[in-house]
Amino acid sequence: MKTKEIAKIASVFFFIGLFSTMAVAGDDADPRKGKYLWKKNCQTCHIEGEEGGKLSPSTKTQQQWNSFFESDHAGQAQERCMKYSENDLHDIQHYMYDHALDSDQPETCS
């Protein structure tokens, strides 16, 4: 392959990755707020032996977190717990995605 062809292919993959990451929770998502909301409200039920079962960002891959939030499992679960706005759910989704099992920085501690 020629250098120009390799550069074009690399550019395509770069932009695909960039746009797929941006599509996760939108440009306005705040993963720091998502972490705060998760730790303050969700994590208390999502530990070993509790009703919600053990759950943390690194228990799922990025695609699994996307599927979880797209299928409205998070919305169903929150009916039993805290009431979040759509923006809050996007923030939590972005935090979970950023620290998923297959991310660059998986969340290993709760």
Side-chain angles (χ1 to χ4, degrees):
M1 274 188 169
K2 295 180 182 179
T3 305
K4 286 184 180 183
E5 291 173 339
I6 293 172
K8 285 180 184 179
I9 292 170
S11 295
V12 168
F13 282 110
F14 172 77
F15 284 110
I16 288 172
L18 177 66
F19 290 122
S20 65
T21 302
M22 288 171 47
V24 170
D27 293 339
D28 58 344
D30 183 351
R32 288 183 302 180
K33 181 181 174 194
K35 181 178 183 176
Y36 170 79
L37 292 171
W38 166 259
K39 289 191 179 255
K40 182 173 188 271
N41 300 309
C42 307
Q43 191 176 34
T44 56
C45 292
H46 287 289
I47 56 175
E48 193 80 37
E50 292 295 321
E51 180 183 349
K54 186 174 178 159
L55 191 64
S56 71
S58 64
T59 57
K60 296 183 184 297
T61 65
Q62 292 175 326
Q63 182 56 48
Q64 288 171 324
W65 280 119
N66 284 343
S67 296
F68 178 83
F69 282 90
E70 289 170 5
S71 67
D72 197 38
H73 287 325
Q76 294 169 14
Q78 76 153 332
E79 288 177 10
R80 288 182 250 126
C81 306
M82 305 299 294
K83 300 293 182 195
Y84 292 117
S85 69
E86 190 172 325
N87 286 339
D88 289 342
L89 287 175
H90 282 300
D91 294 339
I92 295 169
Q93 178 183 6
H94 200 82
Y95 164 66
M96 301 303 258
Y97 181 92
D98 283 352
H99 299 285
L101 183 62
D102 59 344
S103 71
D104 292 339
Q105 299 176 355
E107 183 84 22
T108 55
C109 298
S110 301

